[in-house]
Structure formats: structure tokens, C-alpha cells
Amino acid sequence: EAQVTQNPRYLITVTGKKLTVTCSQNMNHEYMSWYRQDPGLGLRQIYYSMNVEVTDKGDVPEGYKVSRKEKRNFPLILESPSPNQTSLYFCASSLGQGASREQFFGPGTRLTVL
Amino acid sequence: QQQVKQSPQSLIVQKGGIPIINCAYENTAFDYFPWYQQFPGKGPALLIAIRPDVSEKKEGRFTISFNKSAKQFSLHIMDSQPGDSATYFCAASIIFFRGSTLGRLYFGRGTQLTVWP
């Protein structure tokens, strides 16, 4: 089944404890992106990747890191999480190299930072 | 600065009604305007998208109307059903700029639609 998977789906952690949210797609998509969703703010883009080894900042990159060493994987790293990073995170992928194609979203990761 | 402004924040209609969700943008370089639908506990999914070279696009009961001069676009849901109850997001992006495809997708803040039976 063609899909985007994220792990973990739920995570509660404490301030300053490094964590990684994994994202994997099995559709051979070039483009991958991370978003955070907060009530009243909609979806905001954190980072995106047009291809392997190519990443760039979105609207809200502060406090996050990403890497794209393989086409299928695009992990999101929080080196020192803070409570303002408590949010619902979505990974997405699409066939084209840009953002202007249908994006397929993962099921989301709900992160709480205490 | 919010690139895409969406209204209303929430909308309640009766079954069979025609909810309309509006979005506005400022950047005239935007040339791809998708709408995403999100059900509770799920990721968003593409519903319908439009390019600025057409003024209207229909897919089933969903229609996008696009007004390039006003820099506005809207989603109409004909004969709305309780199963349409979801959060709807408009978005905008630029396909090409100086020969390169771009990776930014700007979302509106979302509209929570409730359709009563």
C-alpha cells in the first residue's frame, strides 16, 4: 500500500531531551516536507526537501533539523525540545520536485514537551 | 506575514446547504491553489486544485472559483452531507521561479465545517 508513515504517533517528552520523528514513504517521491499544525494557525511548513541531500527552510524552521540521506526517509530532529514545540506534526511527500503537486500526508505525530 | 488568508474559521450548515469558504492572497507569483480536506485524527488529503488560467474547476460536488484580479479563490460544496464535516485548508504555491521548481506551500488557517443532518 502506497503510504507515508511516521513514528512515533504520540510522544511525551521533557524540555531539552533530544528526539527524532521518523518519516518514510514508499512511493519513490522526490519531494518531502514537514509541517506543524496548531489550533488557529493551520499548517505551517518547517522544512522541505526537493531531492536527496537537498533541504531548505520553510516558515518555522527554528529549533528543528532535518536530513535527507535516502530518498524514502526524511527524519525531523529536535535537538533541544521546548514546550512551544508541543504540536501535531505531519510529514508529506509528492511526486514532483516542487510543492505544486498533490502532497500525500502521513497520519501525524502528536508531540508534547513538558 | 500570513501569505494566504482564509475565512470563516468555522461554518455550520444543514444537510443540502452550500457552504462557501474563501481565501485571499497577495503574492501574484502564486500559480497553484490546492484545497485540502482533513478529518479528525487524519492527515490532510488533496481535495481539488486550480491553476490561475481558469476561473472555475469542478470535481463532483466540490467547485473552486478563482478570481485572479481580486486575488481570491473559494471552495463551494454543493448538496453538502454530514460526511463532508471536516477541516478545510486552502493553500498556495509557486510552480516555477527563474526556471526552478519551488518547495514552499503556504496554507490558510483552516475552516472547520459542520454539516448537520
Side-chain angles (χ1 to χ4, degrees), chain A residues 9 31 35 37 40-45 48 50 57-59 88 90 97-107, chain B residues 3 9 31-32 36 38 41-46 87 89 93-95 100-110:
Chain A
R9 294 288 314 278
Y31 177 94
Y35 299 88
Q37 183 174 8
L41 295 179
L43 290 149
R44 292 178 293 168
Q45 196 171 28
Y48 63 92
M50 305 276 264
K57 297 176 182 178
D59 278 324
L88 179 58
F90 288 101
Q97 282 205 345
S100 301
R101 296 283 295 268
E102 177 177 7
Q103 293 198 25
F104 295 85
F105 283 77
Chain B
Q3 297 278 345
Q9 191 171 350
D31 54 7
Y32 174 72
Y36 281 81
Q38 183 182 30
K42 303 289 186 185
L46 181 67
T87 300
F89 293 97
S93 68
I94 303 168
I95 297 180
S100 299
T101 55
L102 300 182
R104 297 293 304 278
L105 183 62
Y106 301 92
F107 282 90
R109 293 189 175 181

Side-chain angles (χ1 to χ4, degrees), chain B residues 29-62:
Chain B
F30 287 146
D31 54 7
Y32 174 72
F33 302 90
W35 285 88
Y36 281 81
Q37 180 188 53
Q38 183 182 30
F39 292 106
K42 303 289 186 185
L46 181 67
L47 187 62
I48 186 173
I50 197 168
R51 296 285 308 277
D53 51 346
V54 297
S55 60
E56 186 176 276
K57 183 174 181 180
K58 284 185 184 179
E59 285 189 8
R61 294 184 294 106
F62 300 91

Side-chain angles (χ1 to χ4, degrees), chain A residues 5-23:
Chain A
T5 56
Q6 295 179 227
N7 282 292
R9 294 288 314 278
Y10 303 91
L11 180 59
I12 300 175
T13 189
V14 295
T15 299
K17 186 176 181 183
K18 181 179 178 179
L19 66 92
T20 298
V21 184
T22 65
C23 173

Side-chain angles (χ1 to χ4, degrees), chain A:
Chain A
E1 181 190 353
Q3 60 183 345
V4 178
T5 56
Q6 295 179 227
N7 282 292
R9 294 288 314 278
Y10 303 91
L11 180 59
I12 300 175
T13 189
V14 295
T15 299
K17 186 176 181 183
K18 181 179 178 179
L19 66 92
T20 298
V21 184
T22 65
C23 173
S24 182
Q25 51 92 4
N26 62 0
M27 296 171 278
N28 201 36
H29 284 172
E30 301 282 345
Y31 177 94
M32 297 186 75
S33 184
W34 276 102
Y35 299 88
R36 60 177 288 174
Q37 183 174 8
D38 301 287
L41 295 179
L43 290 149
R44 292 178 293 168
Q45 196 171 28
I46 303 171
Y47 270 97
Y48 63 92
S49 170
M50 305 276 264
N51 212 331
V52 175
E53 302 292 359
V54 180
T55 63
D56 210 342
K57 297 176 182 178
D59 278 324
V60 288
E62 296 79 20
Y64 305 95
K65 284 176 61 177
V66 293
S67 68
R68 186 93 181 272
K69 297 192 172 93
E70 320 165 81
K71 199 173 189 179
R72 63 182 293 127
N73 296 322
F74 190 44
L76 179 69
I77 303 157
L78 285 72
E79 295 262 353
S80 182
S82 62
N84 64 12
Q85 292 178 298
T86 291
S87 187
L88 179 58
Y89 290 87
F90 288 101
C91 180
S93 71
S94 78
L95 187 59
Q97 282 205 345
S100 301
R101 296 283 295 268
E102 177 177 7
Q103 293 198 25
F104 295 85
F105 283 77
T109 295
R110 187 166 292 280
L111 172 66
T112 301
V113 183
L114 302 174

Side-chain angles (χ1 to χ4, degrees), chain B residues 55-115:
Chain B
S55 60
E56 186 176 276
K57 183 174 181 180
K58 284 185 184 179
E59 285 189 8
R61 294 184 294 106
F62 300 91
T63 299
I64 299 179
S65 297
F66 187 83
N67 186 330
K68 189 173 181 178
S69 60
K71 292 182 283 186
Q72 295 175 348
F73 58 110
S74 59
L75 177 71
H76 302 234
I77 305 175
M78 307 301 288
D79 187 27
S80 59
Q81 302 295 313
D84 296 330
S85 297
T87 300
Y88 293 82
F89 293 97
C90 61
S93 68
I94 303 168
I95 297 180
F96 288 107
F97 184 72
R98 293 179 183 166
S100 299
T101 55
L102 300 182
R104 297 293 304 278
L105 183 62
Y106 301 92
F107 282 90
R109 293 189 175 181
T111 296
Q112 188 164 346
L113 172 67
T114 303
V115 182

